[in-house]
Amino acid sequence: MPKAGEIKRNAAVEYNGKTYIVRDIERSVPQGRAGGSLYRMRMYDVVTGSKIDETFKDSDMLNLADLVRRPALFSYADGEEFVFMDQENYTPYNLHKDAIAEEMLFINEETEGLQVIVVNELPVALDMPTNVELVVLETDPSIKGASATSRSKPAKLSTGVTISVPEHIATGDRIKINVEERKFMGRADSK
């Protein structure tokens, strides 16, 4: 049983007799408090999808729920759901668009390293790779001689998300992005 401070995003926990997926964690250290950090967790019930916010002390123990991570690829959108295909046994996993709206900003059919999190045989969340590669659809013209450390400019990527990139990046370039920080990491290796 891990302590609250050891729980990560997309972990499945058992709390009050139900299974929840932890979507967001905010850590705070109240002043004048000798006990340590507080962790405010936004959790979603895997069965009903209902949301709860709970605050735990660093020392509170939480039960991890049984979960399985399955390697998958994004397949297609079907109305209100996105369908992912298991890379080993071709099982389709449907996830509601609201549950994975943030993740879909960085996913296309070529995105590798995705894992569907399955709890009690239900797909409940996506585990993203640290970095993804996307193509720049639209940005200001690149400036010849601009260094990689100079000013930045906005760039719209192939999934529709906009991030800041260095001035030397041009439309059509394939780049690496850190998903969690939404930051440009460099040019992608050409395939």
Side-chain angles (χ1 to χ4, degrees):
M1 272 185 19
K3 293 181 179 178
E6 297 168 352
I7 301 293
K8 304 277 187 242
R9 277 186 79 226
N10 285 333
V13 296
E14 290 178 1
Y15 181 70
N16 288 342
K18 295 182 179 176
T19 303
Y20 293 93
I21 289 289
V22 178
R23 290 280 189 220
D24 285 310
I25 302 172
E26 288 179 29
R27 179 178 176 258
S28 61
V29 183
Q31 288 188 332
R33 192 181 140 88
S37 302
L38 294 176
Y39 294 89
R40 181 179 172 86
M41 297 184 191
R42 174 160 288 164
M43 304 186 296
Y44 289 82
D45 186 311
V46 298
V47 177
T48 65
S50 62
K51 173 184 77 170
I52 64 167
D53 288 332
E54 290 291 332
T55 302
F56 301 97
K57 294 181 206 155
D58 189 35
S59 59
D60 288 346
M61 302 297 271
L62 293 169
N63 270 339
L64 288 178
D66 287 336
L67 65 84
V68 177
R69 294 176 193 276
R70 300 292 307 166
L73 285 172
F74 173 61
S75 194
Y76 60 93
D78 183 17
E80 296 285 305
E81 296 189 327
F82 292 109
V83 180
F84 295 82
M85 191 68 64
D86 190 304
Q87 288 184 280
E88 294 169 359
N89 63 19
Y90 306 109
T91 301
Y93 297 110
N94 293 22
L95 290 162
H96 195 275
K97 69 177 188 173
D98 294 339
I100 57 170
E102 287 292 308
E103 290 89 341
M104 286 309 295
L105 294 174
F106 299 96
I107 295 174
N108 61 25
E109 290 86 357
E110 299 170 9
T111 305
E112 296 177 0
L114 293 172
Q115 292 184 321
V116 173
I117 299 171
V118 182
V119 178
N120 301 330
E121 298 185 22
L122 286 172
V124 294
L126 273 181
D127 201 5
M128 295 288 291
T130 307
N131 298 318
V132 295
E133 294 182 5
L134 294 172
V135 174
V136 176
L137 273 189
E138 189 179 303
T139 190
D140 294 337
S142 64
I143 298 172
K144 292 263 187 246
S147 71
T149 58
S150 66
R151 296 185 306 266
S152 63
K153 61 184 180 180
K156 185 174 181 180
L157 305 180
S158 54
T159 59
V161 71
T162 301
I163 68 163
S164 290
V165 299
E167 288 182 328
H168 69 277
I169 298 297
T171 299
D173 284 354
R174 189 174 184 81
I175 62 171
K176 281 186 192 173
I177 300 107
N178 179 300
V179 173
E180 201 161 303
E181 297 175 12
R182 294 180 176 225
K183 280 177 66 176
F184 171 83
M185 300 300 292
R187 276 198 168 104
D189 300 332
S190 53
K191 288 188 173 185

